[in-house]
């Protein structure tokens, strides 16, 4: 039996405005990940997702369309899936 350690984070529009606070939150997420905590980040900020994530799931109209390693995705592909629901170019 293994204890589950999970941190949930959701982007809040206009909640954090200054760069220093954003960097602090990002550092905390990375620290939690490095300590073995599973971090679920929900955000529409693609650069943030790509820089902080190991794996990315893209949802369209409530359906999970693709789950992949962050290194296998880019802004264009994620944006296309988010707006069309299709993973084909």
């Amino acid at each position: 039996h293994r204890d589950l350690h999970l941190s949930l984070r959701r982007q809040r529009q206009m909640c954090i405005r200054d760069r220093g606070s954003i960097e602090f939150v990002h550092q905390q997420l990375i620290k939690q990940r490095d300590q073995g905590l599973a971090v679920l980040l929900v955000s529409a900020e693609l650069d943030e997702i790509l820089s902080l994530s190991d794996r990315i799931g893209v949802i369209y109209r409530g359906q999970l369309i693709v789950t992949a390693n962050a290194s296998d995705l880019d802004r264009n592909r994620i944006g296309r899936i988010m707006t069309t629901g299709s993973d084909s170019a």
Side-chain angles (χ1 to χ4, degrees):
H1 174 257
R2 185 174 165 193
D3 291 334
L4 176 64
H5 299 280
L6 176 67
S7 177
L8 299 175
R9 297 292 183 253
R10 181 176 71 88
Q11 170 203 29
R12 296 195 115 145
Q13 289 292 68
M14 302 186 320
C15 180
I16 302 174
R17 293 181 184 213
D18 68 276
R19 192 75 183 140
S21 295
I22 292 169
E23 288 298 321
F24 175 77
V25 170
H26 288 179
Q27 290 170 1
Q28 294 304 305
L29 292 174
I30 291 167
K31 181 179 174 183
Q32 290 175 341
R33 179 206 59 201
D34 291 347
Q35 292 173 344
L37 193 68
V39 177
L40 176 61
L41 174 65
V42 179
S43 177
E45 298 294 327
L46 301 185
D47 291 330
E48 178 181 54
I49 292 170
L50 286 165
S51 69
L52 293 173
S53 302
D54 296 320
R55 295 197 42 82
I56 297 172
V58 184
I59 297 172
Y60 177 78
R61 294 190 177 179
Q63 298 293 317
L64 183 61
I65 305 300
V66 69
T67 303
N69 290 326
S71 60
D72 295 333
L73 297 171
D74 61 32
R75 292 181 103 257
N76 292 332
R77 183 174 172 200
I78 294 170
R80 181 177 59 249
I81 298 166
M82 288 173 63
T83 56
T84 67
S86 174
D87 191 20
S88 54

